[in-house]
Amino acid sequence: MRLAEVRIDAVDVGIAADAVVQALPHADAIAAPPRRAGALAGVVDHGGVLVPVVDLARWVETGERQDGRILILRDGGHLLGLRVSAVGGLVDVASGAVTRLHHDDDADEVFHSVARAPETGRVLNVLDVGRLAALACAWHGGAAMASGAPPPPAAHDRRTYAVLDAGTLRLGVPAGALAEVIAMPSRATIGDGAWCTWRGRHLAIVPPAAVDPALGDVGAGLLAVLEHDGLALGVPVRATLRLADFVPAATVYDDDGAEVRLVDVAALFARRPEAALSRSAHAAAPVQARAGKPNDAAYVVFDADGLAATPLDALERVLPLVDTPGATMRWGDQAIAVVDLRRPNHVPAEEGQVLVVRAGERRVACVAARVHVMIPAGGGQLYRLGAGAFIMTDDGRERASYRIVDLTTYC
């Protein structure tokens, strides 16, 4: 099962990832109706509806209070918020690795099982979201939903976004609004932004903070071109990461637990009148996301610093990592270079898998956290976003997108 790691004051908690809808700043919470009992700490606006927020510290000892965020959780048709101090990443835990410690089925308890995070070794208290909702007797949705109030987005409202690295943040841009990603062109200053030419049209480049106040100028080398209603704007970015499906919200989480800010393209164009610079009597209709083409070769998906895919043909062997990797390793009668692709300070250092990659007569050993899955020929669709290439799979129940990495470049 996949758990979202969070901390509530001094308590490490794991929450089923499919129960986590959104994370909001704690400052967004507002006062709740005064009550004599219960753990209701406030309410928060989520998609135009008011959702109650539960504070576990009102029931149990959680250590020194550290406010940070509010997690919006879903239990069936019910939504409720939970005060947390920090949100970590996502961890995959084998179902058999979740250990039930308490077997009394006490309806007044929301923790009865624990699990150990594979990479950090941290023991997580697994939250029973359904029992939390029942015990708090506070939620939004279900039969109690107010007539006329728009329901929050449901799972079937998922849309495809291009995830872009903008430096201090990841941005999610609706795939149909992203015309292309190009190398940063020569540009001239205009107001607080700049402009350049693109496809024979003038193109305004907005300052990063215009897209999200948390973004700064980090010397991005790429320009994402967005189109809306026949107009275009440029947004500086550092890299294209992947295609992903999200339920629309202000902030969502990528597969590795990183926050992604979804861009409201219509609102961005409304705020930036200089988009009219791109108007042309002969302007083409907005470029929609181009259809992918089937992969004619198999790919192997591996987890290093996030999930990525590489062509199977380039792999000579996949081996278990038996020790902390050094600069080289023995391969036959020669020593080949070792490239550690895992996240810095990967724990434990001796845990992982080695992908032996060949390019002609050259070999290199690439260290990954694990090999994830193989995509057979014809099992996915290939896409290109600017300089980035991706492969998307769809088994009818779930879609996944992986950035394609050519490991032979390390040879």
Side-chain angles (χ1 to χ4, degrees):
M1 64 184 303
R2 175 162 288 187
L3 297 176
E5 287 188 277
V6 305
R7 195 179 69 251
I8 302 176
D9 303 329
V11 180
D12 291 318
V13 175
I15 303 175
D18 56 7
V20 179
V21 178
Q22 185 182 1
L24 300 172
H26 187 271
D28 287 353
I30 57 179
R35 306 258 306 173
R36 292 190 303 127
L40 190 60
V43 294
V44 68
D45 187 302
H46 168 68
V49 299
L50 295 178
V51 177
V53 178
V54 173
D55 184 358
L56 285 181
R58 298 195 175 195
W59 279 333
V60 295
E61 175 59 42
T62 58
E64 183 179 354
R65 187 179 183 90
Q66 302 172 28
D67 289 334
R69 292 185 176 275
I70 295 169
L71 279 189
I72 302 297
L73 305 178
R74 183 189 302 279
D75 174 50
H78 298 158
L79 290 177
L80 71 157
L82 177 66
R83 180 190 71 85
V84 301
S85 306
V87 180
L90 299 176
V91 296
D92 289 316
V93 177
S95 298
V98 178
T99 303
R100 180 150 187 156
L101 301 181
H102 299 282
H103 305 268
D104 51 10
D105 287 326
D106 190 336
D108 288 335
E109 301 292 345
V110 295
F111 296 107
H112 48 68
S113 300
V114 296
R116 188 184 299 276
E119 291 193 5
T120 64
R122 185 177 293 118
V123 175
L124 306 176
N125 298 279
V126 181
L127 178 68
D128 187 328
V129 176
R131 188 168 288 183
L132 174 67
L135 185 60
C137 290
W139 58 74
H140 182 282
M145 183 172 290
S147 60
H156 58 74
D157 293 327
R158 297 175 76 88
R159 303 174 189 171
T160 300
Y161 291 81
V163 181
L164 309 175
D165 177 1
T168 52
L169 279 178
R170 293 183 186 181
L171 298 177
V173 176
L178 182 62
E180 62 179 333
V181 181
I182 59 176
M184 184 65 73
S186 299
R187 55 203 184 278
T189 301
I190 176 173
D192 60 350
W195 69 274
C196 66
T197 56
W198 172 73
R199 296 187 180 183
R201 301 160 64 183
H202 295 304
L203 178 71
I205 302 174
V206 300
V211 183
D212 192 286
L215 282 175
D217 189 353
V218 292
L222 299 176
L223 186 68
V225 181
L226 310 185
E227 289 194 311
H228 176 69
D229 284 346
L231 302 181
L233 279 174
V235 176
V237 298
R238 296 201 309 186
T240 55
L241 299 179
R242 58 191 293 261
L243 291 171
D245 288 349
F246 297 117
V247 175
T251 302
V252 295
Y253 286 91
D254 213 345
D255 281 348
D256 59 1
E259 288 188 9
V260 179
R261 300 285 177 86
L262 301 187
V263 178
D264 184 336
V265 174
L268 174 63
F269 275 71
R271 294 195 304 269
R272 307 301 299 194
E274 64 268 37
L277 285 173
S278 63
R279 192 185 305 279
S280 167
H282 304 289
V287 177
Q288 298 299 314
R290 289 172 290 180
K293 63 177 183 178
N295 57 305
D296 56 6
Y299 284 78
V300 170
V301 178
F302 62 92
D303 186 358
D305 189 2
L307 292 176
T310 196
L312 175 64
D313 290 346
L315 299 185
E316 190 162 292
R317 192 76 60 83
V318 177
L319 307 168
L321 182 65
V322 296
D323 201 354
T324 302
T328 62
M329 66 169 274
R330 296 299 303 177
W331 183 249
D333 59 355
Q334 60 179 317
I336 62 175
V338 174
V339 180
D340 194 342
L341 303 177
R342 300 173 299 174
R343 291 185 178 90
N345 304 316
H346 177 87
V347 178
E350 67 279 2
E351 182 179 282
Q353 291 181 281
V354 180
L355 286 69
V356 179
V357 182
R358 67 175 181 273
E361 297 300 317
R362 299 186 302 277
R363 305 287 189 276
V364 68
C366 295
V367 180
R370 66 187 176 104
V371 172
H372 183 63
V373 72
M374 188 183 81
I375 304 172
Q381 296 283 319
L382 300 175
Y383 294 82
R384 180 165 292 280
L385 290 175
F390 302 83
I391 183 168
M392 176 176 282
T393 61
D394 187 348
D395 62 4
R397 296 171 299 170
E398 182 179 7
R399 286 202 292 178
S401 173
Y402 308 103
R403 178 171 50 93
I404 295 176
V405 176
D406 183 3
L407 294 181
T408 62
T409 59
Y410 294 104
C411 291

